[in-house]
Amino acid sequence: MASPTIPAPPWLPAPKARRQRSPLTLEGIVTEALRIVDAEGIDAVTMRRIASALGTGPASLYSYVSGKDEVLRLAHDRVLDQIDLPDLAELSWADAIRAWAHATYDAYRRHNDIARLSFADIPTGPRTLALFEALLRALLDGGIPPQVAAWSVDRLALFVAADAYEGWVFGQRFQGHDAAAQRRAAGWFDEVHAYFCALPRESFPTIVEHADVLFAGDGEARFGFGLEMFVAGLATTVTKRRR
């Protein structure tokens, strides 16, 4: 016999609505972690927060990942795996470097401080490895010696990530990247510029004389300058081209 339907006693609190649990998947866990990174940065990611957003408990996540470090590594891999590049085999070695560096730099800047996860790690996502293979091949085919090519890819990755991460740190310092934050940043640089100009010329003649050029250019211009210096240095190592 079915139990009768009766009204809830008015003196009791209303029952809380239960959250509909979504099917738990590794892809969903990584997606939620990346959503938190995009909103608040990597330090805001916790197993508890991910689990709560997915309508489950933290213990459930451990059937898919070993912990927060693995989740963040997978989130970092996903960012790199989504980088869209032309066929590097169709480019010169120098243009291949430029294309990879700018695309990676832009990807990092779209995801808060996720560039920090590249330090002391070697990404192994499928797309990342494919791009690494293509970039290394482009350097070798362009006549860059193997040891120089190998170390160059490593140093280039560090340069790109460090520059992107510093941009995020500046964003934190000036509370964002909007017009108001840019004005705050410009004001700070103006103060430091003025300080350099006011240094005792007898003690710091070179700094005072060249203060204007020391503060010229924005972050993107300086990134491009550093990249071109990198390319120019590599060009001095070219031997016989393979194609």
Side-chain angles (χ1 to χ4, degrees):
M1 181 177 179
S3 300
T5 301
I6 59 175
W11 60 88
L12 296 180
K16 293 183 179 179
R18 292 188 178 182
R19 179 180 297 177
Q20 182 69 31
R21 294 194 176 197
S22 57
L24 196 58
T25 64
L26 179 59
E27 182 178 359
I29 292 169
V30 175
T31 296
E32 180 57 28
L34 191 54
R35 186 197 66 78
I36 296 171
V37 170
D38 289 348
E40 303 175 50
I42 63 176
D43 288 337
V45 176
T46 66
M47 299 295 276
R48 185 174 298 279
R49 281 196 64 178
I50 295 171
S52 177
L54 297 177
T56 187
S60 301
L61 305 185
Y62 291 95
S63 297
Y64 299 85
V65 292
S66 60
K68 174 182 172 179
D69 287 346
E70 184 179 2
V71 173
L72 288 175
R73 178 181 62 77
L74 292 171
H76 179 226
D77 279 348
R78 179 180 292 184
V79 169
L80 296 180
D81 287 348
Q82 292 175 345
I83 292 174
D84 187 25
L85 280 175
D87 185 356
L88 298 187
E90 299 298 322
L91 304 177
S92 68
W93 68 263
D95 283 343
I97 282 180
R98 293 183 182 106
W100 181 90
H102 280 291
T104 304
Y105 181 64
D106 291 342
Y108 277 148
R109 294 199 303 167
R110 289 194 297 270
H111 296 281
N112 264 324
D113 59 336
I114 205 162
R116 195 171 105 200
L117 298 175
S118 70
F119 303 144
D121 189 28
I122 300 176
T124 55
R127 173 68 173 160
T128 303
L129 287 177
L131 289 178
F132 173 60
E133 166 71 20
L135 184 58
L136 187 60
R137 174 50 53 194
L139 292 175
L140 294 173
D141 287 347
I144 306 295
Q147 186 65 79
V148 176
W151 283 358
S152 294
V153 173
D154 173 65
R155 295 297 90 184
L156 178 63
L158 182 60
F159 164 68
V160 171
D163 202 299
Y165 179 62
E166 187 186 44
W168 178 83
V169 172
F170 270 118
Q172 293 295 104
R173 181 171 190 168
F174 300 112
Q175 295 89 51
H177 297 279
D178 58 11
Q182 291 174 9
R183 287 193 294 271
R184 288 189 290 269
W188 180 76
F189 280 113
D190 286 345
E191 287 183 357
V192 180
H193 180 201
Y195 174 79
F196 275 31
C197 290
L199 287 171
R201 184 175 287 272
E202 62 275 12
S203 299
F204 306 100
T206 310
I207 292 177
V208 173
E209 181 180 355
H210 298 285
D212 289 348
V213 294
L214 287 171
F215 287 86
D218 59 13
E220 291 208 25
R222 288 170 179 246
F223 175 78
F225 171 75
L227 182 58
E228 290 307 314
M229 286 186 64
F230 193 95
V231 170
L234 269 183
T236 67
T237 72
V238 172
T239 56
K240 183 179 179 181
R241 287 176 168 81
R242 298 188 183 184
R243 64 178 178 90

